[in-house]
Amino acid sequence: MPAVHHRYATVDGHRLFFREAGDPDAPALVLLHGFPTSSYMFRNLVPALAERYHVIAPDHLGFGLSDAPPVERFDYTFDALTDLTAGLLRTLGIDRYAMYVQDYGAPIGWRLALRDPAAIAAIITQNGNGYDAGFVESFWKVVQAYQSEQTPDTEAPVRQFLTLDATRWQYLTGVPDETLVDPESWYHDYALISRPAGAEAFADDLPEAEIHLLDGGHFLLESALDEVTELIRGFLARVHTSA
């Protein structure tokens, strides 16, 4: 079976992770993952197809092992993610390819196709919606509400999609035999979408900043008052002593 290479490339200042296998001279196949996973979902498919194809499976920015800059530094739109994907393909010298799109990988794939139709040899879509009719209202209404207006009330239901239970639900719902699904998959995805990139970004401007990552909710004082109090006391004591 062909070897799978795990690589990084810098595109527009962002470090993107991707899996690559197969002969670079073979027809190219680009695999675009969805939410909440990464190219990890293709870990078994990549080597299975690499005997005949040059397979590329990137992690979108903010997913998997790619960089995850905070929203203050990157506008996470599908257009912006498409720009990075197109930049990665240019870096790799891939100008014609088939694509496999899944879930949120589809809006990226459709944009690639619309921008350069001649580059697309074929499209495979798996749960990659392309029409309004595919958005089941009962499931998507909370996302559409947040899309229309960003408020604390509309944000709270959307954040439920980032929980471990929701990630597990996506893997198991509709599966006839749940024993065929490796539980490590949803734990892997959950760990990566839980990366605390926003807090760590303060260190870019304040290298000596104290950063504490606590296991708690948005209103941390409700569940970790004692721990927070001790951290504040210690910090202020050091600051005032230094001053």
Side-chain angles (χ1 to χ4, degrees):
M1 188 170 288
V4 178
H5 300 273
H6 303 85
R7 308 188 191 278
Y8 290 89
T10 299
V11 180
D12 295 338
H14 301 290
R15 193 169 185 246
L16 301 179
F17 173 82
F18 63 98
R19 300 167 196 264
E20 181 177 23
D23 184 351
D25 293 326
L29 173 60
V30 178
L31 311 179
L32 300 176
H33 70 83
F35 172 88
T37 186
S38 64
S39 65
Y40 182 79
M41 69 170 283
F42 298 123
R43 66 194 180 282
N44 298 320
L45 184 63
V46 170
L49 296 175
E51 291 182 356
R52 297 185 180 183
Y53 302 98
H54 178 204
V55 186
I56 304 294
D59 287 353
H60 307 312
L61 195 75
F63 292 80
L65 300 179
S66 289
D67 282 350
V71 294
E72 294 82 8
R73 297 191 177 191
F74 185 82
D75 187 13
Y76 283 92
T77 64
F78 286 121
D79 284 332
L81 294 175
T82 301
D83 291 341
L84 291 176
T85 305
L88 174 64
L89 296 178
R90 284 194 301 270
T91 298
L92 299 177
I94 296 175
D95 54 14
R96 183 164 172 77
Y97 53 93
M99 69 168 79
Y100 175 133
V101 299
Q102 187 263 343
D103 189 63
Y104 277 17
I108 298 172
W110 307 152
R111 283 165 170 77
L112 290 171
L114 289 171
R115 291 182 184 185
D116 188 3
I120 309 302
I123 295 175
I124 303 161
T125 175
Q126 182 247 309
N127 286 48
N129 192 34
Y131 303 92
D132 287 344
F135 292 100
V136 179
E137 184 178 356
S138 59
F139 180 85
W140 285 98
K141 63 181 180 180
V142 296
V143 176
Q144 292 166 342
Y146 182 70
Q147 183 181 25
S148 299
E149 184 180 14
Q150 289 80 53
T151 69
D153 288 339
T154 60
E155 179 181 332
V158 173
R159 283 197 170 274
Q160 295 304 309
F161 289 114
L162 303 175
T163 65
L164 178 60
D165 284 344
T167 305
R168 177 179 182 273
W169 177 85
Q170 292 202 61
Y171 271 94
L172 297 184
T173 299
V175 177
D177 184 356
E178 294 183 0
T179 65
L180 295 175
V181 183
D182 186 348
E184 289 186 7
S185 297
W186 62 77
Y187 282 104
H188 174 273
D189 288 351
Y190 175 70
L192 288 173
I193 64 173
S194 300
R195 286 180 293 177
E200 293 175 339
F202 282 101
D204 293 340
D205 292 322
L206 296 170
E208 311 230 348
E210 291 186 26
I211 299 173
H212 303 279
L213 305 176
L214 306 182
D215 186 10
H218 183 56
F219 296 101
L220 191 62
L221 299 181
E222 299 296 320
S223 58
L225 177 63
D226 292 343
E227 189 173 1
V228 172
T229 301
E230 286 305 308
L231 288 171
I232 292 174
R233 285 174 177 167
F235 172 71
L236 291 178
R238 288 188 292 277
V239 170
H240 285 304
T241 299
S242 300

